[in-house]
Amino acid sequence: MVTMRNSEVADLAFWPTAGAPPGVEVFRCSALPPRAERHGVDPHSALRPDFHQLIVVRSGTLRCSVDFTDHVLTDGHWLWIRPGQVRQYRSSVAEAEGTMVLFQSDYLDAAAVRAARLDEPGPGRPLDLRGARGTTERDVLALLQRQHDSPSTLPPELYAATMRHLLAVLVLRLAHAAGRHDEVRRGGEAFQRFRLAVESDFARTRRVEDYAQLLGYSVRTLTRVTHAAVGCAAKRFIDDRVLLEAKRLLVHTGLAARTVGERLGFSEATTFARFFRRRTGMTPADFRDQARGVTASPPGDHV
């Protein structure tokens, strides 16, 4: 199901298939175009799914943009797209040989959700698991797909439990391969609390001091643990999240640039414009035009 928000963004809901366990789908990449057509969706348009999507390519090439970053997936590459991220295929999905796994956030049990950190932003880059590095992940995926395609081999309750456990093994291993547990080890509890606080409050405040006060840490501690976890200062981490949301709103909604700034907590349109230009080298309106392939901005949208 696709719904439009502000006449620009397409929100994509999970598509259950009759006979499949609710909450998870496994199919070959080549099956996506006819599947999308049945639901009246252009698979190559920009869409914001409300579910997780795992893509692994075994041969061929798949070009995909996720939140304004282009990726090229070839043999052995995995890409994990999280709910709320905007994705768009830049090449024909049918030309790549691979598998897609779609699942809803509440499909796995709470322990697996916590361990795989499903509620946090994804790594933002493909995983290179070519050769021996990805043997176990490929084996688990093969079991998951065979079980998905053969539901009648088990009683319904055992079939559903098997699917849930196989998917949990797969996402836990991919989370480990993505370095999420290394990130936790490097940044510790302080960084994880900071990350969640930023995700919740980035539109309210961009001040490290406010997060430090909220969480009970010093500014120096938040700066240290953020740099240890993700290699940048705490202020840069906050601003990166604000910038990502600004890009999403500019490209995938019809909101005026000044309104985007207001939604992100900027009291003045000029302040937002300076922030955006300092980080991207262009005005919000110029970024919107470039991303949409427009040659000229509408009058009055430059701020």
Side-chain angles (χ1 to χ4, degrees), residues 1 36 69-70 76 82 84 152 183 196 244 282:
M1 181 181 195
T69 299
D70 290 332
R82 304 279 179 132
S152 61
E183 184 179 279
L196 292 175
L244 172 58
M282 61 183 74

Side-chain angles (χ1 to χ4, degrees), residues 106-117:
D106 60 357
Y107 180 71
L108 300 178
D109 61 40
V113 168
R114 286 193 302 271
R117 318 196 80 82

Side-chain angles (χ1 to χ4, degrees), residues 21-289:
V24 63
E25 296 283 341
V26 187
F27 52 88
R28 296 187 181 280
C29 291
S30 58
L32 180 63
R35 175 188 174 90
E37 184 178 356
R38 289 196 301 272
H39 294 273
V41 176
D42 176 3
H44 294 91
S45 63
L47 298 169
R48 183 190 283 113
D50 68 0
F51 49 85
H52 293 264
Q53 182 174 6
L54 300 175
I55 306 172
V56 59
V57 172
R58 287 185 292 275
S59 64
T61 300
L62 178 60
R63 301 179 185 276
C64 183
S65 172
V66 181
D67 276 339
F68 314 102
T69 299
D70 290 332
H71 304 292
V72 180
L73 309 181
T74 57
D75 178 27
H77 284 135
W78 294 71
L79 183 62
W80 188 338
I81 304 171
R82 304 279 179 132
Q85 291 186 304
V86 178
R87 67 109 173 106
Q88 183 171 18
Y89 299 114
R90 303 295 193 184
S91 64
S92 173
V93 178
E95 292 179 1
E97 175 62 30
T99 301
M100 295 186 177
V101 181
L102 316 182
F103 66 97
Q104 295 178 293
S105 295
D106 60 357
Y107 180 71
L108 300 178
D109 61 40
V113 168
R114 286 193 302 271
R117 318 196 80 82
L118 290 191
D119 295 331
E120 298 179 9
R125 62 187 182 280
L127 298 175
D128 185 351
L129 297 179
R130 286 175 289 186
R133 285 173 293 178
T135 299
T136 301
E137 288 77 10
R138 290 192 297 273
D139 289 346
V140 174
L141 177 61
L143 285 172
L144 181 69
Q145 183 157 23
R146 285 201 296 271
Q147 189 64 73
H148 180 273
D149 295 343
S150 304
S152 61
T153 59
L154 290 173
E157 66 276 11
L158 293 183
Y159 170 62
T162 301
M163 288 293 296
R164 184 172 288 107
H165 287 299
L166 285 172
L167 180 61
V169 171
L170 182 61
V171 299
L172 287 168
R173 291 195 62 89
L174 291 174
H176 175 71
R180 303 316 299 273
H181 291 80
D182 289 340
E183 184 179 279
V184 173
R185 175 179 55 80
R186 295 191 302 265
E189 180 185 359
F191 175 69
Q192 296 310 311
R193 293 182 65 200
F194 176 56
R195 179 200 287 277
L196 292 175
V198 170
E199 190 62 27
S200 174
D201 291 346
F202 67 83
R204 183 183 65 83
T205 178
R206 300 184 303 281
R207 287 167 36 88
V208 181
E209 293 83 355
D210 291 340
Y211 291 98
Q213 182 177 12
L214 172 69
L215 300 172
Y217 299 112
S218 67
V219 170
R220 183 175 181 179
T221 295
L222 289 184
T223 298
R224 175 176 55 80
V225 298
T226 304
H227 198 278
V230 293
C232 70
K235 176 59 173 170
R236 175 63 179 264
F237 184 81
I238 299 167
D239 285 350
D240 283 349
R241 183 62 184 90
V242 173
L243 181 65
L244 172 58
E245 198 66 17
K247 289 180 175 180
R248 286 175 173 174
L249 292 172
L250 286 166
V251 175
H252 299 292
T253 77
L255 297 174
R258 61 179 64 85
T259 306
V260 171
E262 290 171 359
R263 284 201 177 187
L264 296 176
F266 292 88
S267 58
E268 300 289 341
T270 53
T271 306
F272 172 59
R274 282 197 300 270
F275 167 84
F276 195 91
R277 190 164 199 160
R278 185 170 64 249
R279 296 300 306 277
T280 66
M282 61 183 74
T283 68
D286 287 342
F287 172 82
R288 167 179 272 165
D289 289 344

